Amino acid sequence: MIEIAVLDDYQRVALSMADWSGLGPDCAVSVFDRNLATVDEAAQALAGFDVICLLRERMPVPAELLARLPRLKLIVVTGAHNRTLDLAAAEARGITVTHTRGGDSYYATTELALGLMIACARHLAFEDRGMRRGLWQRTVGITLHGRTLGLLGLGRMGTRMAELGRALGMRVLAWSPNLTPGRAEAGGATYADKATLFREADVVSIHLVLGERTRGLVGAAELALMKPSAFLVNTSRGPIVDEAALIAALRERRIAGAGLDVYDVEPLPPEHPLRALDNVVLSPHLGFVTEGTYRTFYQDMVECIAAWRAGAPVRLLRAA
């Protein structure tokens, strides 16, 4: 029997989004609807599996964990990148790694970022909580039309956000470590240096990949440059922002608020201080979580497993 683990299926939809029965009667699929938070917990839970399917980067897979999974022969990851999986260690142990296509996350994540922008500007979460307690009209919002959108990153996602910002009538500035004025213009934005972007933006939206150069990129110094009326939106990765510095800025009302979909630790712990702040809109890493994306992910997982069993794996992912 080939034992297959599908991880981090919080909504328990994996089995309904694809036809896993096509893998044959000698394959058993187990779904985990909780996060395996530590190496010890993951090693204990997954030691008996031949195949594990990872949802994005929800569970890190370092060399230490791979060494404790003696039966593991195949890893399937969603999307073409996984920076928390030690690919070199997997290759050294003879473990095949394949990946799915990205689905419609290109649109899904940017639409959520837009939703967080609007929710911040109109205080929707705060007013929703008040309405449920019988209250009425406690805030005065702002329009985004005529305001300045500052984009950290102008890749595929950032360029899409620039398009959405322009559709709202916003002035769009962009900065990233490698961005040039010419590339900014081609992406539908105006280049600004980092300090200028933070000073002038009414909304700063993050669309960078997490790496050594971007970890902690938005810290106390950058937050101090922002207007007291400005908002920060992050649908990229939590550690790009210094979380402690952001919490301090929100508590002290040095910025107007934040819309967050990503966090340093996920799932966000129940007693986390962000949960107690009334000037932050929180969503549980929903950027890519749409029916279309999930169907692509899970159907491609089945395809990857079937191809591997046939001796012709597809969409191989290798160490650089």
Side-chain angles (χ1 to χ4, degrees):
M1 184 67 70
I2 296 175
E3 298 289 345
I4 301 166
V6 180
L7 303 185
D8 292 303
D9 180 20
Y10 301 150
Q11 302 97 334
R12 296 194 67 83
V13 296
L15 298 184
S16 65
M17 293 284 182
D19 181 10
W20 297 84
S21 66
L23 293 173
D26 58 340
C27 289
V29 181
S30 300
V31 173
F32 289 77
D33 61 359
R34 60 184 177 86
N35 182 250
L36 302 175
T38 67
V39 168
D40 284 343
E41 186 179 2
Q44 183 175 3
L46 301 175
F49 288 92
D50 305 282
V51 179
I52 61 173
C53 300
L54 303 175
L55 193 63
R56 291 288 188 175
E57 297 166 335
R58 286 181 174 172
M59 190 188 81
V61 185
E64 178 187 358
L65 175 57
L66 292 171
R68 296 172 64 179
L69 301 177
R71 284 185 55 172
L72 185 60
K73 303 177 186 69
L74 174 68
I75 299 172
V76 183
V77 305
T78 55
H81 304 283
N82 190 305
R83 296 168 183 83
T84 61
L85 166 62
D86 192 328
L87 285 170
E91 288 183 11
R93 299 187 68 83
I95 300 168
T96 301
V97 181
T98 65
H99 69 89
T100 73
R101 293 168 294 162
D104 59 13
S105 57
Y106 168 69
Y107 297 104
T109 301
T110 49
E111 287 177 10
L112 182 68
L114 176 62
L116 290 172
M117 286 170 52
I118 294 172
C120 287
R122 302 302 294 272
H123 310 287
L124 290 183
F126 181 81
E127 293 290 12
D128 175 81
R129 291 190 294 270
M131 286 284 287
R132 295 173 190 277
R133 304 201 316 270
L135 303 176
W136 190 257
Q137 284 193 5
R138 294 176 293 162
T139 61
V140 177
I142 63 168
T143 58
L144 295 175
H145 179 85
R147 307 280 177 169
T148 297
L149 171 62
L151 299 176
L152 295 184
L154 198 64
R156 291 181 69 249
M157 297 288 190
T159 298
R160 175 63 176 160
M161 279 305 297
E163 181 182 348
L164 295 176
R166 294 195 312 274
L168 291 175
M170 300 184 78
R171 170 192 179 218
V172 181
L173 302 179
W175 175 88
S176 74
N178 297 319
L179 189 64
T180 64
R183 288 171 55 196
E185 183 179 1
T190 299
Y191 176 83
D193 62 62
K194 185 180 175 185
T196 298
L197 184 145
F198 276 93
R199 280 196 299 265
E200 296 189 4
D202 297 291
V203 179
V204 175
S205 188
I206 301 172
H207 301 280
L208 294 165
V209 172
L210 177 63
E212 290 310 308
R213 290 197 303 169
T214 58
R215 187 177 296 274
L217 182 72
V218 180
E222 288 74 24
L223 294 168
L225 293 173
M226 293 176 67
K227 303 174 185 177
S229 58
F231 300 96
L232 178 73
V233 172
N234 189 6
T235 55
S236 182
R237 288 293 184 270
I240 294 173
V241 179
D242 181 329
E243 190 175 82
L246 176 60
I247 290 170
L250 291 166
R251 279 176 172 163
E252 297 165 18
R253 307 283 173 169
R254 288 186 274 112
I255 62 173
L260 306 177
D261 188 48
V262 290
Y263 310 92
D264 284 6
V265 176
E266 297 183 4
L268 191 68
E271 302 304 318
H272 196 282
L274 281 171
R275 293 183 184 268
L277 298 175
D278 63 8
N279 57 345
V280 59
V281 180
L282 305 175
S283 57
H285 204 153
L286 295 176
F288 65 93
V289 180
T290 64
E291 181 179 345
T293 299
Y294 269 23
R295 288 198 183 279
T296 298
F297 283 175
Y298 292 121
Q299 289 171 12
D300 281 4
M301 283 181 184
V302 173
E303 179 190 19
C304 286
I305 296 168
W308 167 74
R309 293 195 68 197
V314 295
R315 293 187 295 272
L316 287 166
L317 195 61
R318 294 187 171 96

